[in-house]
Amino acid sequence: MSKKSEKKVLLSGMQPSGALHLGNYEGALRNWVELQNTGDYEMFNCIVDWHALTSGFDETDKLVPRIYEMAADYIAAGLDPAKTTIFVQSHVKEHAELHLLLSMIVPIPWLERVPSYKDKTESLGLDSYGFLGYPILQTADIIIYRADVVPVGKDQLSHLELAREIVRRFHFLYGEVFPEPEALVTKFQILPGTDGKKMSKSYGNFIALGDGPDEIKKKVMSMFTDETKIHKTDRGHPDKCPVNIYRTIYDPEWTQKIADFCAAGDDSIGCVKCKKNLIRGLVDYFADFRARREELLADPAQIDNYLKDGAERARQRASETMVLVRKAIKMYKPEM
Ligand code: ADP
């Protein structure tokens, strides 16, 4: 057996539904780059464009630019196409075939009880068949690579549990083909947005990884800090203040000292100065990232090549899996 195939297979992915933000970086991408750099895993990273259609079916003109942006964000953040197979889901049709086959064996109530299905049907009015079947496609995305592990936040554990349940049902009916994918639980904090709520594309409270100095300045200056600290001499609550939370990550040098000043109501530093330091911190922290991102976006042919190469590698493993799947299900295959 070759050394490569002894490694555990890891599948990760995100929807290309807009520019990546600091929350996506802290909650997912930073960890993926670290996992890649351990060299312990054979990594597949999927840009899940079919999934993006569940809510974005009526804005497909944005899909292609978002895929380029996402690929540029990934690579600029340190995912290396030579080490991690980065590809677009819809380029590997085997995901769709496996989704179809799994859809025959998954009872509808398993899907209806998924918390995000209930929430989003109510809040976003999503009621399509594709939206209900989303967890089946997600399962196919994982097991088509016979993935051993999936890096997830605690909030996504229920999705993986459903994938494991589907795998068990497949094995019960047709025999063993896949590893039961395990969660590699990422320790991360939910990063607040500029308004103090969870940072999210949908809330418009995000700082994108690709934001330049002017946007960073504008967004940070408008950030919520601590509503109980009106005067410099009021005692602040730095552990709850988004500006301070960001500073511990992007401008850590003096943060603890400043947090102590803030909590004590010491008037040598106020929120405005704190924000100015954060702006400098963020601009510097992502300077190399932005340069690499711009360079990639200026050369879409380079991105095309990475994604084409990634799709070829992904397709190879996915098609091997489908041979096993069709055989297990006993699909008709004429003698050649
Ligand atoms: P959004 O809420 O902006 O649409 P997604 O739901 O597409 O983000 O999330 C993509 C990934 O980024 C997931 O792994 C998710 O856990 C992570 N993520 C999103 N927002 C945050 C956040 N504010 N803090 C930490 N991780 C986040």
Side-chain angles (χ1 to χ4, degrees):
M1 205 190 267
S2 75
K3 206 162 178 219
K4 204 175 171 195
S5 62
E6 285 166 17
K7 288 184 180 181
K8 283 195 168 181
V9 174
L10 182 153
L11 184 283
S12 57
M14 265 194 251
Q15 278 190 33
S17 48
L20 292 185
H21 55 65
L22 298 181
N24 302 138
Y25 184 63
E26 298 307 333
L29 188 49
R30 185 196 283 276
N31 182 46
W32 298 348
V33 174
E34 281 167 11
L35 289 167
Q36 166 194 273
N37 294 341
T38 63
D40 292 344
Y41 299 97
E42 188 178 348
M43 307 249 308
F44 289 87
N45 186 283
C46 185
I47 299 180
V48 290
D49 58 342
W50 277 329
H51 283 292
L53 296 180
T54 50
S55 56
F57 58 88
D58 54 352
E59 46 174 21
T60 49
D61 51 332
K62 296 190 182 142
L63 203 54
V64 172
R66 283 176 173 175
I67 288 172
Y68 280 110
E69 272 201 300
M70 177 161 266
D73 280 342
Y74 280 173
I75 297 167
L79 282 187
D80 176 352
K83 294 183 188 157
T84 294
T85 299
I86 304 172
F87 64 100
V88 177
Q89 180 189 33
S90 66
H91 292 183
V92 185
K93 308 291 182 224
E94 285 80 358
H95 289 236
E97 183 183 355
L98 185 54
H99 168 242
L100 178 93
L101 293 170
L102 296 177
S103 77
M104 305 299 169
I105 64 167
V106 178
I108 291 175
W110 287 16
L111 302 171
E112 283 174 334
R113 69 171 191 235
V114 171
S116 59
Y117 175 70
K118 211 162 171 285
D119 292 352
K120 291 193 180 170
T121 27
E122 279 163 20
S123 62
L124 303 176
L126 292 176
D127 57 2
S128 67
Y129 164 73
F131 185 58
L132 179 68
Y134 183 113
I136 305 185
L137 183 55
Q138 203 168 45
T139 303
D141 298 337
I142 299 167
I143 68 176
I144 194 90
Y145 299 102
R146 283 164 281 140
D148 300 289
V149 287
V150 183
V152 290
K154 270 199 193 131
D155 53 332
Q156 296 159 326
L157 278 175
S158 61
H159 287 260
L160 199 63
E161 199 37 59
L162 179 56
R164 290 160 59 86
E165 227 171 316
I166 295 174
V167 167
R168 288 195 287 269
R169 186 159 168 81
F170 184 98
H171 289 168
F172 172 74
L173 290 164
Y174 307 120
E176 197 119 340
V177 172
F178 310 102
E180 253 183 57
E182 282 179 27
L184 204 63
V185 181
T186 319
K187 285 198 192 73
F188 67 95
Q189 53 173 351
I190 297 286
L191 203 73
T194 49
D195 59 359
K197 283 194 262 171
K198 181 193 164 192
M199 182 177 288
S200 171
K201 277 175 294 247
S202 11
Y203 303 149
N205 62 356
F206 61 88
I207 297 179
L209 296 182
D211 279 347
D214 291 343
E215 286 135 307
I216 291 177
K217 185 172 173 195
K218 203 166 96 196
K219 290 183 183 176
V220 171
M221 288 318 283
S222 75
M223 274 178 81
F224 284 33
T225 50
D226 180 348
E227 59 187 1
T228 63
K229 186 172 167 68
I230 297 160
H231 306 291
K232 267 191 191 175
T233 48
D234 292 336
R235 287 173 182 273
H237 303 85
D239 51 326
K240 293 197 190 104
C241 168
V243 173
N244 188 63
I245 291 170
Y246 290 14
R247 284 196 66 185
T248 56
I249 309 174
Y250 305 112
D251 181 37
E253 206 183 341
W254 296 103
T255 303
Q256 188 51 52
K257 211 164 177 181
I258 287 160
D260 292 344
F261 280 147
C262 173
D266 185 312
D267 69 355
S268 52
I269 180 157
C271 297
V272 172
K273 194 158 174 206
C274 221
K275 285 180 174 181
K276 285 188 177 156
N277 285 331
L278 173 62
I279 292 166
R280 180 191 33 75
L282 273 173
V283 169
D284 290 353
Y285 196 94
F286 288 103
D288 292 346
F289 169 89
R290 274 195 306 277
R292 178 78 177 116
R293 181 182 195 272
E294 272 165 36
E295 190 192 312
L296 284 158
L297 286 174
D299 183 7
Q302 197 186 156
I303 295 182
D304 288 339
N305 285 336
Y306 287 139
L307 294 180
K308 261 195 252 171
D309 179 54
E312 246 165 65
R313 277 147 57 193
R315 228 177 276 131
Q316 190 173 342
R317 187 158 175 97
S319 58
E320 284 166 13
T321 305
M322 284 315 297
V323 171
L324 302 174
V325 168
R326 292 183 207 114
K327 200 167 158 212
I329 299 184
K330 303 187 182 68
M331 300 299 291
Y332 169 67
K333 184 173 176 290
E335 292 303 323
M336 306 294 249

